[in-house]
Every structure is written in structure tokens, then in C-alpha cells.
Coordinates of all heavy atoms in Angstrom, one line a residue:
M12 N 48.6 34.8 15.5 CA 48.7 33.6 14.7 C 47.6 32.6 15.2 O 47.5 32.4 16.4 CB 50.1 32.9 14.9 CG 50.4 31.8 13.9 SD 51.8 30.8 14.4 CE 53.1 32.1 14.4
T13 N 46.8 32.1 14.3 CA 45.8 31.2 14.7 C 46.1 29.8 14.3 O 46.4 29.5 13.1 CB 44.4 31.6 14.0 OG1 44.2 33.0 14.2 CG2 43.3 30.8 14.6
K14 N 46.1 28.9 15.2 CA 46.3 27.5 14.9 C 45.1 26.7 15.2 O 44.5 26.8 16.3 CB 47.5 27.0 15.7 CG 48.8 27.5 15.1 CD 50.0 26.9 15.8 CE 51.3 27.4 15.2 NZ 52.5 26.9 16.0
L15 N 44.7 25.9 14.2 CA 43.6 25.0 14.4 C 44.0 23.6 14.9 O 44.9 23.0 14.3 CB 42.9 24.9 13.0 CG 41.7 23.9 13.0 CD1 40.5 24.6 13.7 CD2 41.3 23.5 11.6
R16 N 43.3 23.2 15.9 CA 43.6 21.8 16.4 C 42.8 20.9 15.5 O 41.6 20.9 15.3 CB 42.9 21.7 17.8 CG 43.7 20.9 18.8 CD 42.9 20.8 20.0 NE 42.3 19.4 20.1 CZ 42.8 18.5 20.9 NH1 43.7 18.8 21.8 NH2 42.3 17.3 20.9
S17 N 43.6 20.0 14.8 CA 42.9 19.1 13.8 C 43.3 17.7 14.2 O 44.4 17.3 14.3 CB 43.5 19.5 12.5 OG 43.2 18.5 11.5
D18 N 42.2 16.9 14.3 CA 42.4 15.5 14.6 C 42.7 14.7 13.3 O 42.1 15.0 12.3 CB 41.1 14.8 15.2 CG 40.9 15.3 16.6 OD1 41.8 16.0 17.2 OD2 39.8 15.1 17.1
Q19 N 43.7 13.9 13.3 CA 44.1 13.1 12.2 C 44.0 11.7 12.5 O 44.5 11.3 13.6 CB 45.6 13.5 11.8 CG 45.9 14.9 11.6 CD 45.3 15.5 10.4 OE1 45.2 14.9 9.4 NE2 44.8 16.7 10.5
Y20 N 43.5 10.9 11.6 CA 43.4 9.5 11.8 C 44.4 8.9 10.8 O 44.2 9.1 9.6 CB 42.0 8.9 11.6 CG 42.0 7.4 11.6 CD1 42.5 6.7 12.7 CD2 41.6 6.7 10.5 CE1 42.5 5.3 12.7 CE2 41.7 5.3 10.5 CZ 42.1 4.6 11.6 OH 42.1 3.3 11.6
C21 N 45.3 8.1 11.3 CA 46.3 7.5 10.4 C 45.9 6.0 10.1 O 45.8 5.2 11.0 CB 47.7 7.5 11.0 SG 48.9 6.8 9.9
H22 N 45.6 5.7 8.9 CA 45.2 4.4 8.5 C 46.4 3.4 8.6 O 46.2 2.2 8.8 CB 44.6 4.3 7.1 CG 43.3 5.0 6.9 ND1 42.1 4.4 7.1 CD2 43.0 6.3 6.7 CE1 41.1 5.2 7.0 NE2 41.6 6.4 6.7
D23 N 47.6 3.9 8.4 CA 48.7 3.0 8.5 C 49.0 2.4 9.8 O 49.2 1.2 9.9 CB 50.0 3.8 8.0 CG 50.1 3.8 6.5 OD1 49.1 3.5 5.8 OD2 51.2 3.9 6.0
C24 N 49.0 3.2 10.9 CA 49.3 2.7 12.2 C 48.0 2.7 13.1 O 48.1 2.4 14.3 CB 50.4 3.5 12.8 SG 50.0 5.2 13.1
Q25 N 46.9 3.2 12.6 CA 45.6 3.2 13.3 C 45.7 4.0 14.6 O 45.2 3.6 15.6 CB 45.2 1.7 13.6 CG 45.1 0.9 12.3 CD 44.1 -0.2 12.4 OE1 44.0 -0.8 13.5 NE2 43.4 -0.5 11.3
R26 N 46.3 5.1 14.5 CA 46.4 6.0 15.6 C 45.7 7.3 15.3 O 45.6 7.7 14.1 CB 47.9 6.4 15.9 CG 48.5 5.6 17.0 CD 49.9 6.1 17.3 NE 50.8 5.4 16.4 CZ 51.8 4.7 16.8 NH1 52.1 4.5 18.1 NH2 52.6 4.1 15.9
V27 N 45.2 7.9 16.3 CA 44.7 9.3 16.2 C 45.7 10.2 16.8 O 46.2 10.0 17.9 CB 43.3 9.4 16.9 CG1 42.8 10.8 16.8 CG2 42.3 8.5 16.3
F28 N 46.0 11.3 16.1 CA 46.9 12.3 16.6 C 46.4 13.7 16.3 O 45.5 13.8 15.5 CB 48.3 12.1 16.1 CG 48.5 12.2 14.6 CD1 49.0 13.4 14.1 CD2 48.2 11.2 13.8 CE1 49.2 13.5 12.7 CE2 48.4 11.3 12.4 CZ 48.9 12.4 11.9
V29 N 46.9 14.7 17.0 CA 46.4 16.0 16.8 C 47.5 16.9 16.2 O 48.7 16.8 16.6 CB 46.0 16.6 18.2 CG1 45.7 18.1 18.0 CG2 44.8 15.9 18.7
A30 N 47.2 17.6 15.2 CA 48.1 18.5 14.6 C 47.6 19.9 14.7 O 46.4 20.2 14.5 CB 48.3 18.2 13.1
L31 N 48.5 20.9 15.0 CA 48.1 22.3 15.1 C 48.4 22.9 13.7 O 49.6 22.9 13.3 CB 48.8 23.0 16.2 CG 48.5 22.5 17.6 CD1 49.3 23.3 18.6 CD2 47.0 22.8 17.9
I32 N 47.4 23.2 13.0 CA 47.6 23.8 11.6 C 47.5 25.3 11.7 O 46.6 25.9 12.2 CB 46.5 23.2 10.7 CG1 46.7 21.7 10.6 CG2 46.6 23.9 9.3 CD1 45.6 21.0 9.8
D33 N 48.6 25.9 11.2 CA 48.7 27.3 11.2 C 47.9 27.9 10.1 O 48.2 27.8 8.9 CB 50.2 27.7 11.0 CG 50.4 29.2 11.2 OD1 49.4 30.0 11.2 OD2 51.6 29.6 11.4
L34 N 46.7 28.5 10.5 CA 45.8 29.0 9.5 C 46.2 30.3 8.8 O 45.6 30.7 7.8 CB 44.4 29.2 10.1 CG 43.7 28.0 10.7 CD1 42.4 28.4 11.4 CD2 43.5 27.0 9.6
S35 N 47.3 30.9 9.3 CA 47.8 32.1 8.6 C 48.6 31.8 7.4 O 49.0 32.7 6.6 CB 48.6 32.9 9.6 OG 49.8 32.2 10.0
I36 N 48.9 30.5 7.2 CA 49.7 30.1 6.0 C 48.8 29.4 5.1 O 48.2 28.3 5.4 CB 50.9 29.2 6.4 CG1 51.8 29.8 7.5 CG2 51.7 28.8 5.2 CD1 52.8 28.9 8.1
S37 N 48.6 29.9 3.9 CA 47.8 29.3 2.9 C 48.7 28.2 2.2 O 49.9 28.5 1.9 CB 47.3 30.3 1.8 OG 46.2 31.0 2.4
G38 N 48.1 27.1 1.8 CA 48.8 26.1 1.1 C 48.6 24.7 1.6 O 47.7 24.5 2.4
N39 N 49.4 23.8 1.1 CA 49.3 22.4 1.6 C 50.1 22.3 2.9 O 51.3 22.6 2.9 CB 49.9 21.5 0.5 CG 49.2 21.7 -0.8 OD1 48.0 21.5 -1.0 ND2 50.0 22.1 -1.8
H40 N 49.4 21.8 3.9 CA 50.1 21.6 5.2 C 50.5 20.1 5.3 O 49.6 19.2 5.3 CB 49.3 22.0 6.3 CG 49.2 23.5 6.4 ND1 49.7 24.3 7.5 CD2 48.7 24.4 5.5 CE1 49.5 25.6 7.2 NE2 48.9 25.7 6.1
E41 N 51.7 19.8 5.3 CA 52.2 18.4 5.4 C 52.4 18.0 6.8 O 53.1 18.6 7.6 CB 53.5 18.3 4.6 CG 54.0 16.9 4.5 CD 55.4 16.9 3.8 OE1 55.4 17.1 2.6 OE2 56.4 16.7 4.4
I42 N 51.6 17.0 7.2 CA 51.6 16.5 8.6 C 52.2 15.1 8.6 O 51.6 14.2 8.1 CB 50.2 16.6 9.2 CG1 49.6 18.0 9.0 CG2 50.2 16.2 10.7 CD1 48.1 17.9 9.0
Q43 N 53.3 14.9 9.3 CA 53.8 13.5 9.4 C 53.5 12.8 10.7 O 53.7 13.3 11.8 CB 55.4 13.6 9.2 CG 55.9 12.2 9.1 CD 57.4 12.2 8.7 OE1 58.1 13.2 9.1 NE2 57.9 11.2 8.0
C44 N 52.8 11.7 10.5 CA 52.5 10.8 11.7 C 53.8 10.3 12.3 O 54.8 10.2 11.6 CB 51.6 9.7 11.2 SG 51.2 8.5 12.5
V45 N 53.7 9.8 13.5 CA 54.8 9.2 14.2 C 55.4 8.0 13.4 O 56.5 7.6 13.5 CB 54.5 8.8 15.7 CG1 54.5 10.1 16.5 CG2 53.3 8.0 15.8
C46 N 54.5 7.3 12.7 CA 54.9 6.2 11.9 C 55.5 6.5 10.6 O 56.1 5.7 9.9 CB 53.7 5.2 11.7 SG 52.6 5.8 10.4
G47 N 55.5 7.8 10.3 CA 56.2 8.3 9.0 C 55.2 8.5 7.9 O 55.6 9.1 6.9
H48 N 53.9 8.1 8.1 CA 52.9 8.4 7.1 C 52.6 9.9 7.0 O 52.5 10.5 8.0 CB 51.7 7.6 7.4 CG 50.7 7.5 6.3 ND1 50.7 6.6 5.3 CD2 49.6 8.3 6.0 CE1 49.7 6.8 4.4 NE2 49.0 7.8 4.8
I49 N 52.5 10.4 5.7 CA 52.3 11.8 5.5 C 50.8 12.1 5.3 O 50.2 11.4 4.4 CB 53.1 12.3 4.3 CG1 54.6 12.0 4.5 CG2 52.9 13.8 4.1 CD1 55.4 12.9 5.3
H50 N 50.3 13.1 6.0 CA 48.9 13.5 5.8 C 49.0 14.9 5.2 O 49.9 15.7 5.6 CB 48.2 13.5 7.1 CG 48.1 12.1 7.7 ND1 46.9 11.5 7.8 CD2 49.0 11.4 8.2 CE1 47.2 10.3 8.4 NE2 48.4 10.2 8.7
Y51 N 48.0 15.4 4.5 CA 47.9 16.7 4.0 C 46.6 17.4 4.4 O 45.5 16.7 4.4 CB 48.1 16.7 2.5 CG 49.5 16.4 2.0 CD1 49.7 15.1 1.5 CD2 50.5 17.3 2.1 CE1 51.0 14.8 1.1 CE2 51.8 17.0 1.7 CZ 52.0 15.7 1.2 OH 53.3 15.4 0.7
R52 N 46.7 18.7 4.7 CA 45.5 19.5 4.8 C 45.7 20.8 4.0 O 46.8 21.3 4.0 CB 45.2 19.9 6.3 CG 44.7 18.7 7.1 CD 43.3 18.3 6.6 NE 42.7 17.2 7.4 CZ 43.0 15.9 7.2 NH1 43.7 15.6 6.1 NH2 42.5 15.0 7.9
V53 N 44.7 21.2 3.3 CA 44.8 22.4 2.5 C 44.2 23.6 3.2 O 43.0 23.5 3.6 CB 44.2 22.2 1.1 CG1 44.3 23.5 0.3 CG2 44.9 21.1 0.3
V54 N 44.9 24.7 3.4 CA 44.4 25.9 4.0 C 44.4 27.0 2.9 O 45.3 27.3 2.2 CB 45.3 26.3 5.2 CG1 44.8 27.7 5.7 CG2 45.2 25.3 6.3
V55 N 43.2 27.6 2.8 CA 43.0 28.8 1.9 C 42.2 29.8 2.7 O 41.2 29.6 3.2 CB 42.2 28.4 0.6 CG1 42.0 29.6 -0.3 CG2 43.0 27.3 -0.2
D56 N 42.8 31.0 2.7 CA 42.1 32.2 3.3 C 41.8 31.9 4.8 O 40.7 32.2 5.3 CB 40.9 32.6 2.6 CG 41.2 33.1 1.2 OD1 42.3 33.7 1.0 OD2 40.3 33.0 0.3
G57 N 42.7 31.3 5.5 CA 42.5 31.0 6.9 C 41.5 29.9 7.3 O 41.1 29.8 8.4
K58 N 41.2 29.1 6.3 CA 40.2 28.0 6.5 C 40.8 26.7 5.9 O 41.4 26.7 4.8 CB 38.9 28.3 5.9 CG 38.1 29.3 6.7 CD 36.7 29.4 6.1 CE 35.9 30.5 6.8 NZ 35.3 31.4 5.8
V59 N 40.5 25.6 6.6 CA 40.9 24.3 6.1 C 39.8 23.9 5.1 O 38.6 23.9 5.4 CB 41.0 23.2 7.2 CG1 41.2 21.9 6.6 CG2 42.0 23.6 8.2
T60 N 40.2 23.7 3.8 CA 39.2 23.3 2.8 C 39.1 21.7 2.9 O 39.8 21.1 3.6 CB 39.7 23.6 1.4 OG1 40.8 22.7 1.1 CG2 40.2 25.0 1.3
G61 N 38.2 21.2 2.2 CA 38.0 19.8 2.2 C 39.0 19.0 1.4 O 39.1 17.8 1.4
D62 N 39.8 19.8 0.6 CA 40.8 19.2 -0.2 C 42.0 18.6 0.6 O 42.3 19.0 1.7 CB 41.4 20.2 -1.2 CG 40.4 20.8 -2.1 OD1 39.4 20.1 -2.4 OD2 40.6 21.9 -2.6
R63 N 42.5 17.5 0.1 CA 43.7 16.9 0.7 C 45.0 17.5 0.1 O 46.1 17.5 0.7 CB 43.7 15.4 0.4 CG 42.7 14.7 1.2 CD 43.1 14.6 2.7 NE 42.1 13.8 3.4 CZ 41.1 14.2 4.0 NH1 40.8 15.5 4.0 NH2 40.3 13.4 4.7
W64 N 44.9 18.0 -1.1 CA 46.1 18.5 -1.8 C 45.7 19.5 -2.9 O 44.7 19.3 -3.6 CB 46.8 17.3 -2.4 CG 48.0 17.7 -3.2 CD1 48.1 17.8 -4.6 CD2 49.3 18.1 -2.7 NE1 49.3 18.2 -4.9 CE2 50.1 18.4 -3.8 CE3 49.8 18.2 -1.4 CZ2 51.4 18.8 -3.7 CZ3 51.2 18.5 -1.3 CH2 51.9 18.8 -2.4
N65 N 46.4 20.6 -3.0 CA 46.2 21.5 -4.1 C 47.5 21.8 -4.8 O 48.4 22.4 -4.2 CB 45.6 22.8 -3.6 CG 45.1 23.7 -4.7 OD1 45.7 23.7 -5.8 ND2 44.1 24.5 -4.4
S66 N 47.6 21.3 -6.0 CA 48.9 21.4 -6.7 C 49.3 22.8 -7.1 O 50.5 23.1 -7.4 CB 48.9 20.5 -8.0 OG 47.8 21.0 -8.8
K67 N 48.4 23.7 -7.0 CA 48.7 25.1 -7.3 C 49.3 25.9 -6.1 O 49.8 27.0 -6.3 CB 47.4 25.9 -7.7 CG 46.8 25.4 -9.0 CD 45.6 26.3 -9.4 CE 44.8 25.7 -10.6 NZ 43.6 25.1 -10.1
L68 N 49.2 25.3 -4.9 CA 49.7 26.0 -3.8 C 51.0 25.4 -3.3 O 51.4 24.2 -3.6 CB 48.7 25.8 -2.6 CG 47.3 26.4 -2.9 CD1 46.3 26.0 -1.8 CD2 47.3 27.9 -3.0
Q69 N 51.7 26.2 -2.5 CA 53.0 25.7 -2.0 C 52.8 24.8 -0.7 O 51.7 24.9 -0.1 CB 53.9 26.9 -1.6 CG 53.3 27.8 -0.6 CD 54.3 28.9 -0.1 OE1 55.4 29.0 -0.6 NE2 53.9 29.6 0.9
T70 N 53.8 24.1 -0.4 CA 53.6 23.1 0.7 C 54.4 23.6 1.9 O 55.6 24.0 1.8 CB 54.1 21.7 0.3 OG1 53.3 21.3 -0.8 CG2 54.0 20.7 1.4
T71 N 53.8 23.5 3.1 CA 54.4 23.8 4.4 C 54.4 22.6 5.2 O 53.4 21.8 5.2 CB 53.5 24.9 5.1 OG1 53.2 25.9 4.2 CG2 54.2 25.4 6.3
T72 N 55.5 22.4 5.9 CA 55.6 21.2 6.8 C 55.2 21.6 8.2 O 55.8 22.6 8.7 CB 57.0 20.6 6.8 OG1 57.4 20.4 5.4 CG2 57.1 19.3 7.6
V73 N 54.2 20.9 8.8 CA 53.9 21.2 10.2 C 55.0 20.7 11.1 O 55.5 19.6 10.9 CB 52.5 20.5 10.5 CG1 52.2 20.7 12.0 CG2 51.4 21.0 9.6
K74 N 55.4 21.6 12.0 CA 56.5 21.3 12.9 C 56.2 20.1 13.8 O 55.0 19.9 14.2 CB 56.8 22.5 13.8 CG 57.7 23.5 13.1 CD 58.0 24.6 14.0 CE 56.9 25.7 14.0 NZ 57.0 26.7 15.0
K75 N 57.2 19.3 14.1 CA 57.0 18.1 15.0 C 56.4 18.5 16.3 O 55.6 17.8 16.9 CB 58.3 17.4 15.2 CG 58.7 16.5 14.0 CD 59.0 15.1 14.5 CE 58.9 14.1 13.4 NZ 59.8 14.3 12.3
S76 N 56.8 19.7 16.8 CA 56.4 20.2 18.1 C 54.9 20.5 18.1 O 54.3 20.7 19.1 CB 57.2 21.4 18.5 OG 57.1 22.4 17.5
D77 N 54.3 20.7 16.9 CA 52.9 21.0 16.7 C 52.1 19.7 16.5 O 50.9 19.8 16.2 CB 52.6 22.0 15.6 CG 52.9 23.4 16.0 OD1 53.1 23.6 17.2 OD2 53.0 24.3 15.1
I78 N 52.7 18.6 16.6 CA 52.0 17.3 16.4 C 52.1 16.5 17.6 O 53.2 16.3 18.2 CB 52.6 16.5 15.2 CG1 52.5 17.3 13.9 CG2 52.0 15.1 15.1 CD1 53.3 16.8 12.7
S79 N 51.0 16.0 18.1 CA 51.0 15.2 19.3 C 50.1 14.0 19.1 O 49.0 14.0 18.6 CB 50.6 16.0 20.6 OG 49.4 16.6 20.3
E80 N 50.6 12.9 19.6 CA 49.9 11.6 19.5 C 48.8 11.6 20.6 O 49.1 11.9 21.7 CB 50.8 10.5 19.6 CG 50.2 9.1 19.3 CD 51.1 8.0 19.7 OE1 52.3 8.1 19.5 OE2 50.6 6.9 20.1
V81 N 47.6 11.2 20.3 CA 46.6 11.2 21.3 C 46.4 9.8 21.8 O 46.7 9.5 22.9 CB 45.3 11.7 20.7 CG1 44.2 11.6 21.7 CG2 45.4 13.2 20.3
T82 N 46.0 8.9 21.0 CA 45.6 7.6 21.5 C 45.5 6.6 20.4 O 45.3 6.9 19.2 CB 44.3 7.6 22.3 OG1 43.9 6.3 22.7 CG2 43.2 8.2 21.4
Q83 N 45.5 5.3 20.8 CA 45.1 4.2 19.9 C 43.6 4.3 19.8 O 43.0 4.5 20.8 CB 45.6 2.9 20.6 CG 45.9 1.8 19.6 CD 47.3 1.9 19.1 OE1 48.1 2.6 19.6 NE2 47.5 1.1 18.0
I84 N 43.0 4.2 18.6 CA 41.6 4.3 18.6 C 40.9 3.1 19.2 O 41.4 2.0 19.0 CB 41.1 4.6 17.1 CG1 41.5 3.4 16.2 CG2 41.5 5.9 16.6 CD1 40.5 3.2 15.1
P85 N 39.8 3.3 19.8 CA 39.0 2.2 20.3 C 38.4 1.5 19.0 O 38.3 2.1 18.0 CB 37.9 2.8 21.1 CG 37.8 4.2 20.7 CD 39.1 4.6 20.1
I86 N 37.8 0.3 19.2 CA 37.2 -0.4 18.0 C 35.8 0.2 17.8 O 35.0 0.0 18.7 CB 37.2 -1.9 18.2 CG1 38.6 -2.4 18.4 CG2 36.5 -2.6 17.0 CD1 38.7 -3.5 19.5
P87 N 35.6 1.0 16.8 CA 34.3 1.7 16.7 C 33.1 0.8 16.4 O 32.0 1.0 16.9 CB 34.5 2.6 15.4 CG 35.9 2.4 15.0 CD 36.5 1.1 15.6
T88 N 33.3 -0.3 15.7 CA 32.2 -1.2 15.4 C 31.5 -1.8 16.6 O 30.3 -1.9 16.7 CB 32.6 -2.3 14.5 OG1 33.8 -2.9 15.0 CG2 32.8 -1.8 13.0
S89 N 32.3 -2.2 17.6 CA 31.7 -2.8 18.8 C 30.8 -1.9 19.6 O 29.7 -2.2 20.0 CB 32.8 -3.4 19.7 OG 33.5 -2.4 20.3
S90 N 31.3 -0.6 19.8 CA 30.5 0.3 20.6 C 29.2 0.7 19.8 O 28.2 0.9 20.4 CB 31.3 1.5 20.9 OG 31.8 2.2 19.8
A91 N 29.4 0.8 18.5 CA 28.2 1.2 17.6 C 27.1 0.1 17.7 O 26.0 0.4 17.8 CB 28.6 1.4 16.2
S92 N 27.6 -1.2 17.6 CA 26.6 -2.3 17.6 C 25.9 -2.4 19.0 O 24.8 -2.7 19.1 CB 27.2 -3.6 17.2 OG 28.3 -3.9 18.0
H93 N 26.8 -2.1 20.0 CA 26.2 -2.1 21.4 C 25.1 -1.1 21.5 O 24.1 -1.4 22.0 CB 27.4 -1.8 22.3 CG 27.1 -2.1 23.8 ND1 27.4 -3.3 24.3 CD2 26.4 -1.4 24.7 CE1 27.0 -3.4 25.6 NE2 26.4 -2.2 25.8
F94 N 25.4 0.1 21.0 CA 24.5 1.2 21.1 C 23.2 0.8 20.3 O 22.1 1.0 20.8 CB 25.1 2.4 20.4 CG 24.1 3.6 20.2 CD1 23.7 4.3 21.3 CD2 23.7 3.9 18.9 CE1 22.8 5.4 21.1 CE2 22.8 4.9 18.7 CZ 22.4 5.7 19.8
L95 N 23.3 0.3 19.1 CA 22.1 -0.1 18.3 C 21.3 -1.2 19.0 O 20.1 -1.2 19.0 CB 22.6 -0.6 17.0 CG 23.0 0.5 16.0 CD1 23.5 -0.1 14.7 CD2 21.9 1.4 15.7
R96 N 22.0 -2.1 19.7 CA 21.3 -3.2 20.4 C 20.5 -2.6 21.5 O 19.3 -3.0 21.7 CB 22.3 -4.2 20.9 CG 21.7 -5.5 21.3 CD 22.6 -6.3 22.2 NE 22.9 -5.6 23.4 CZ 23.8 -6.0 24.3 NH1 24.5 -7.0 24.1 NH2 24.0 -5.3 25.4
D97 N 21.1 -1.7 22.3 CA 20.4 -1.1 23.4 C 19.2 -0.3 22.9 O 18.1 -0.4 23.5 CB 21.3 -0.1 24.2 CG 22.3 -0.9 25.0 OD1 22.1 -2.1 25.2 OD2 23.2 -0.3 25.6
K98 N 19.3 0.3 21.8 CA 18.2 1.1 21.2 C 17.1 0.2 20.8 O 15.9 0.4 21.1 CB 18.8 1.9 20.0 CG 17.9 3.1 19.7 CD 18.6 3.9 18.6 CE 17.6 4.9 18.1 NZ 18.1 5.9 17.3
W99 N 17.5 -0.9 20.2 CA 16.5 -1.9 19.8 C 15.7 -2.5 21.0 O 14.5 -2.7 20.9 CB 17.2 -3.0 19.0 CG 16.3 -4.0 18.4 CD1 15.7 -3.8 17.2 CD2 16.0 -5.3 18.9 NE1 14.9 -5.0 16.9 CE2 15.1 -5.9 17.9 CE3 16.3 -6.0 20.0 CZ2 14.5 -7.1 18.1 CZ3 15.8 -7.3 20.2 CH2 14.9 -7.8 19.3
L100 N 16.5 -2.8 22.0 CA 15.9 -3.4 23.2 C 14.9 -2.4 23.9 O 13.8 -2.8 24.3 CB 17.0 -3.8 24.3 CG 17.8 -5.0 23.9 CD1 18.9 -5.2 24.9 CD2 16.9 -6.2 23.9
N101 N 15.3 -1.1 23.8 CA 14.4 -0.1 24.4 C 13.1 0.0 23.6 O 12.0 0.2 24.1 CB 15.1 1.3 24.4 CG 16.1 1.3 25.5 OD1 16.1 0.6 26.5 ND2 17.1 2.2 25.4
L102 N 13.2 -0.1 22.3 CA 12.1 0.0 21.4 C 11.1 -1.2 21.7 O 9.9 -1.0 21.7 CB 12.5 -0.1 19.9 CG 13.0 1.2 19.4 CD1 13.6 1.0 18.0 CD2 12.0 2.3 19.3
Q103 N 11.6 -2.3 22.0 CA 10.8 -3.5 22.3 C 10.1 -3.3 23.6 O 9.0 -3.8 23.8 CB 11.7 -4.8 22.4 CG 12.4 -5.1 21.1 CD 11.6 -5.0 19.9 OE1 10.6 -5.8 19.7 NE2 11.9 -4.2 18.9
G104 N 10.7 -2.6 24.6 CA 10.2 -2.4 25.9 C 9.0 -1.5 25.8 O 8.2 -1.4 26.7
Ligands
LIG17 ZN1 50.7 6.6 11.4

């Protein structure tokens, strides 16, 4: 059985969590965040497609034991602007 570690970002609670998606099961994989928000990943032929949902396929619920919360996300904009500023300063030097 192959399980893919998949990072999920939840817009509702702004948390990043990891779900282990069983690639041996084709269909919609329903992943529930700790806040209750439902995420979907579509697996076809052992691969996660870019689709969020495929109405032709059956739905599998990812087990709670295969979902783990990682962290509160850092604020991405501040580190990005910091990086750009350093780059700009280097260019001036
Ligand atoms: Zn959430």
C-alpha cells in the first residue's frame, strides 16, 4: 500500500496539516481538517490529479489517524518582502 504525504492548507482555520492519501484507492479522497472543513483530492491510477473533485468517481474518507496537524502557517508576505528587500540591497551594492 502506497500512501502519499500531502500537505493541505486550510483557508478556514489557516492551518497546514498533513494527510496520508492512499494511492491504491482511486476516487475522491475526503480529508477533514481539525476545524471540520472538508478538503478533497482526486486519485486516478495511483496518482493525485490536479482535480479537487470528480463526480464520476466514488468518495473515500481519509482516516483521522492518517491526518496530522503540522503548524500554524507563518505570515508569508513578511518573509517574502524581507527577501526581496535583501536582494534589492545586494543589487545596489
Ligand atoms: Zn481547518
Side-chain angles (χ1 to χ4, degrees):
M12 195 195 299
T13 312
K14 284 186 178 173
L15 177 76
R16 219 187 104 106
S17 166
D18 290 350
Q19 309 287 322
Y20 171 63
C21 181
H22 290 271
D23 273 22
C24 63
Q25 306 205 324
R26 257 184 278 240
V27 175
F28 62 100
V29 172
L31 295 176
I32 296 173
D33 190 342
L34 297 178
S35 63
I36 304 169
S37 288
N39 304 299
H40 289 242
E41 185 182 288
I42 307 155
Q43 189 172 27
C44 176
V45 286
C46 75
H48 192 84
I49 306 277
H50 301 247
Y51 290 101
R52 285 294 178 274
V53 177
V54 173
V55 176
D56 296 330
K58 285 186 188 133
V59 177
T60 72
D62 298 335
R63 289 288 186 268
W64 176 261
N65 188 329
S66 59
K67 294 188 191 102
L68 300 171
Q69 60 172 6
T70 301
T71 311
T72 306
V73 176
K74 278 181 274 168
K75 280 232 159 61
S76 58
D77 281 346
I78 298 170
S79 54
E80 187 187 327
V81 176
T82 178
Q83 207 85 16
I84 58 153
I86 301 143
T88 46
S89 69
S90 58
S92 59
H93 195 94
F94 171 74
L95 285 174
R96 194 199 62 189
D97 284 351
K98 202 172 171 168
W99 186 82
L100 288 172
N101 286 340
L102 282 173
Q103 301 311 300

